[in-house]
Amino acid sequence: MIRGKEGFVLNKKPIGIVTALHAEASPLIDYFNLKKDIAFTKFEIFSNNRISLIVSGIGKIKSAVATTYFLGQVDPVCVINFGICGTPKPDYKIGDPVVVNKITDVSGRREFFPDMIVKHHLREAHVTTFDTPVTMDMAVELNLDLVDMEASGFFQSASVFLQPDKIAVLKIVSDYLELERVTREFVTELVQTKLSEIDNFIQRFSAVQFENSGVFTEEENLLLGELSSRLRLTTAQNHLLREWATAYKITSKKEIAFLNEFLHAKIQNKNERLLVFKRIRAKLGVA
Amino acid sequence: MWPNFSHIYIEEGAEKYPLTDVILSKFSNTFCVTVHHYKDIFNRPQQNFQSQKRSMKLILAVKKDNLVYDGSEFSQSMGHDNFYYNSMILNCVYNCDYCYLQGMYGSANIVIFVNIGDFFSAVVEKLQKPMYLAISYDTDLLAFENVIPLCAQWIEFTRAQPNLTIEIRTKSANFKSIKSLEPCDRTILAWTMSPDEVVEKYEKGTPPLRRRLEAAKEAIDEGWKVRVCFDPVIRIDHWKEYYSQCVQTVFEKLEAVKLYDVSSGVFRMNADYLRKIRKQRQDSDVLYYPYVFDKNAASYPETIKNEMNLFIQNLLLQYLPSTKVFI
């Protein structure tokens, strides 16, 4: 269900963004001119006709819950977890945008991999998700790249709804594990300075998303649904009808409007239904 | 054309094998990502095969078991009793519409097993009697040869094993990558030939018939045993005309008496694989022919299959004795 204030064009799903903090989200809300959608009460969701953004709260559980809610309600074509992260490595600069190619959940000792299908010019790294803030000593000892508190929860939830080529994680390095300097104002300013790179990545990511629009037109989908309903087809017969119609359209490259004639077939019993079903099958070229 | 892999995933333990170094040396601007087990990335749920085909990644791994398989029921044994195959590479650089790999694997990323010594050992264990081993079934090994010289290593291994005969099946035109080797009389180089109409429509990324023929001719001229495979034969519009022309072109370029043998087979696929592929893609009519799903296999109805087989057989028998034709 798509419920953005400005609404989304049918079959043109939005790009989803999940952030943990309002401080991370607010520069994006201003930049993309997103409006708060008051239809959603459990989480704050901001949308325009191209992008929909949810603020999850801090931590992987909150991120997972918000992502599940978001993908169930908004149904975006793809989703990006965007937010700040820390690093123990001085070769990263504060403000570096980094695309994540591997996520490790430190408590579950599990690894997750988004499909890296976007060509980009940003740095890539491995992020490790912790349940609590990490000390420099611990991060150095474990030889970590980036650390955060959301990515693994986000990814596990997103994977339930979307293919791995439709999930991305984009982080901005905010600190060398010195939490005291990560204030709300600092985070917002940091994101503001990188908006063009963030926008560029979002555009590239959305450009490689291919929606399977299906083989049937909207009218044909309605026709098949109507046929199934009027002929009172069983689930198995309905499945076969769609399979035959798909094969017919792809191999003949013709419309299936001729099936309209079966909408008014008179059916009194199971045998008559079977006869009509066989005629449909023959019309669709199935031996 | 070899894809420029943006990412190489390296399974823990695979980094110590020499083949890993060989492969990594070919790609400089590549992100290397370590993975605990190759299946953690290759077997993820809900992957989109065709989306991954547009940006294939390389996965380097160590295969620990099932290093040699019994011959598949969908493959021709060419009269050999002890027919086996192996898969040192999973997936292929090409993207043929009718390829069963789309249904066999969840991922289009390419896995290369780097522990070639273990594959050799597994074969040696079975060499008490003559063995026929297809080493390029779930992939196209010769197409990879510039990146990883597996064909060359298998040929040299075969040369030292009197009981072993290998087949290297390919659609590539990459004979030059093994041209410097001495021909081995127990290595069969098998080229799949298709009419250009089929190549252009269904065999995306593969060389045209002309280039495959040039490669096969060069191999014959160098003294290699060459098999020609018309497989799968696809029932496209005007198929008789196209396949007649294709067979004629093949025998104009290659001297029939110099061919080791010729095989042919109509399109057939594991039924579950075809069902799975149909769920994923609706963009190729070759996947939607009204095939008959019979037990485990999907193929043309029996009468059509017989007609196609007979037609191709008759074409081939104009050039070759029946002992050299496998249908």
Side-chain angles (χ1 to χ4, degrees), chain B residues 139-251:
Chain B
T139 186
D140 191 321
L141 227 50
L142 195 61
F144 284 82
E145 194 69 6
N146 293 344
V147 169
I148 179 166
L150 294 178
C151 292
Q153 295 198 43
W154 274 102
I155 291 165
E156 294 307 335
F157 171 72
T158 301
R159 210 189 300 279
Q161 306 294 334
N163 266 351
L164 178 63
T165 299
I166 61 169
E167 184 211 70
I168 303 173
R169 191 167 290 210
T170 186
K171 289 189 177 101
S172 84
N174 195 22
F175 173 69
K176 62 183 178 300
S177 63
I178 55 168
K179 191 180 174 183
S180 61
L181 301 177
E182 275 294 305
C184 170
D185 66 353
R186 280 174 290 99
T187 295
I188 300 162
L189 304 179
W191 265 276
T192 299
M193 304 293 183
S194 303
D196 275 327
E197 290 77 9
V198 170
V199 175
E200 283 163 20
K201 195 170 179 191
Y202 300 124
E203 297 180 352
K204 294 180 181 76
T206 65
L209 176 63
R210 176 184 57 79
R211 291 192 51 221
R212 296 184 208 178
L213 281 171
E214 285 168 0
K217 181 169 186 334
E218 205 176 353
I220 292 170
D221 291 346
E222 291 289 323
W224 292 84
K225 285 183 175 169
V226 168
R227 166 176 293 146
V228 166
C229 310
F230 298 95
D231 192 357
V233 176
I234 307 286
R235 196 177 177 91
I236 50 175
D237 289 344
H238 315 294
W239 67 276
K240 288 184 178 176
E241 182 190 326
Y242 293 145
Y243 279 95
S244 300
Q245 182 61 49
C246 177
V247 170
Q248 186 182 334
T249 304
V250 166
F251 287 103

Side-chain angles (χ1 to χ4, degrees), chain A residues 101-102 111 113-118 120 122-124 155 158-166 208 210 212 214-215 239 243 246-247 250-251 253 285-287, chain B residues 6-7 9 12 31-37 40-41 44-48 51-52 54-55 57 109 201 278-286 288-290 293:
Chain A
N101 56 31
K102 174 178 169 180
E111 294 179 345
F113 302 92
D115 266 347
M116 306 305 291
I117 57 168
V118 187
H120 60 82
L122 303 176
R123 218 169 154 172
E124 284 194 15
F155 193 87
S159 299
V160 174
F161 295 86
L162 294 171
Q163 300 164 351
D165 57 319
K166 298 186 182 303
V208 296
F210 296 91
N212 186 350
V215 69
H239 179 75
E243 194 177 299
T246 302
I250 291 169
T251 53
K253 297 179 178 58
V286 183
Chain B
S6 63
H7 293 72
Y9 295 85
E12 287 169 14
F31 291 108
C32 290
V33 182
T34 56
V35 297
H36 176 63
H37 193 286
D40 293 344
I41 182 155
R44 287 170 299 163
Q46 292 200 81
Q47 296 177 86
N48 184 323
S51 166
Q52 291 182 348
R54 288 187 276 270
S55 177
K57 314 301 180 201
N109 293 327
K201 195 170 179 191
R278 281 181 172 181
K279 279 183 189 161
Q280 288 177 8
R281 59 186 295 192
Q282 291 92 35
D283 61 344
S284 180
D285 56 4
V286 73
Y288 283 89
Y289 187 93
F293 286 73

Side-chain angles (χ1 to χ4, degrees), chain B residues 60-320:
Chain B
L60 308 183
V62 178
K63 191 157 173 67
K64 298 174 182 75
D65 48 22
N66 293 324
L67 302 173
V68 185
Y69 299 104
D70 289 338
S72 155
E73 60 180 300
F74 296 100
S75 312
Q76 290 166 318
S77 65
M78 305 295 178
H80 296 270
D81 293 333
N82 253 352
F83 171 41
Y84 294 89
Y85 72 101
N86 68 11
S87 300
M88 278 203 64
I89 297 183
L90 312 182
N91 277 325
C92 179
V93 285
Y94 302 136
N95 190 16
C96 299
D97 284 8
Y98 54 72
C99 182
Y100 64 91
L101 295 175
Q102 303 166 89
M104 187 166 162
Y105 301 130
S107 171
N109 293 327
I110 293 170
V111 179
I112 300 180
F113 294 112
V114 293
N115 52 326
I116 191 168
D118 296 333
F119 282 83
F120 290 157
S121 301
V123 169
V124 168
E125 282 178 20
K126 293 180 182 290
L127 279 179
Q128 293 84 4
K129 46 186 178 179
M131 176 185 193
Y132 178 78
L133 179 70
I135 66 166
S136 184
Y137 261 16
D138 298 336
T139 186
D140 191 321
L141 227 50
L142 195 61
F144 284 82
E145 194 69 6
N146 293 344
V147 169
I148 179 166
L150 294 178
C151 292
Q153 295 198 43
W154 274 102
I155 291 165
E156 294 307 335
F157 171 72
T158 301
R159 210 189 300 279
Q161 306 294 334
N163 266 351
L164 178 63
T165 299
I166 61 169
E167 184 211 70
I168 303 173
R169 191 167 290 210
T170 186
K171 289 189 177 101
S172 84
N174 195 22
F175 173 69
K176 62 183 178 300
S177 63
I178 55 168
K179 191 180 174 183
S180 61
L181 301 177
E182 275 294 305
C184 170
D185 66 353
R186 280 174 290 99
T187 295
I188 300 162
L189 304 179
W191 265 276
T192 299
M193 304 293 183
S194 303
D196 275 327
E197 290 77 9
V198 170
V199 175
E200 283 163 20
K201 195 170 179 191
Y202 300 124
E203 297 180 352
K204 294 180 181 76
T206 65
L209 176 63
R210 176 184 57 79
R211 291 192 51 221
R212 296 184 208 178
L213 281 171
E214 285 168 0
K217 181 169 186 334
E218 205 176 353
I220 292 170
D221 291 346
E222 291 289 323
W224 292 84
K225 285 183 175 169
V226 168
R227 166 176 293 146
V228 166
C229 310
F230 298 95
D231 192 357
V233 176
I234 307 286
R235 196 177 177 91
I236 50 175
D237 289 344
H238 315 294
W239 67 276
K240 288 184 178 176
E241 182 190 326
Y242 293 145
Y243 279 95
S244 300
Q245 182 61 49
C246 177
V247 170
Q248 186 182 334
T249 304
V250 166
F251 287 103
E252 280 172 2
K253 184 77 178 179
L254 309 178
E255 281 185 73
V257 292
K258 291 187 176 174
L259 285 178
Y260 181 68
D261 58 23
V262 176
S263 75
S264 171
V266 300
F267 170 88
R268 65 222 176 268
M269 192 189 290
N270 176 299
D272 288 340
Y273 295 168
L274 183 58
R275 287 192 192 99
K276 186 176 163 192
I277 297 167
R278 281 181 172 181
K279 279 183 189 161
Q280 288 177 8
R281 59 186 295 192
Q282 291 92 35
D283 61 344
S284 180
D285 56 4
V286 73
L287 299 168
Y288 283 89
Y289 187 93
Y291 299 113
V292 172
F293 286 73
D294 180 21
K295 290 184 185 169
N296 296 325
S299 187
Y300 295 104
E302 204 62 26
T303 51
I304 288 179
K305 195 192 314 185
N306 291 341
E307 180 201 4
M308 293 170 76
N309 279 334
L310 190 63
F311 183 81
I312 301 290
Q313 187 176 29
N314 287 337
L315 287 176
L316 298 176
L317 290 175
Q318 293 173 32
Y319 301 93
L320 292 161

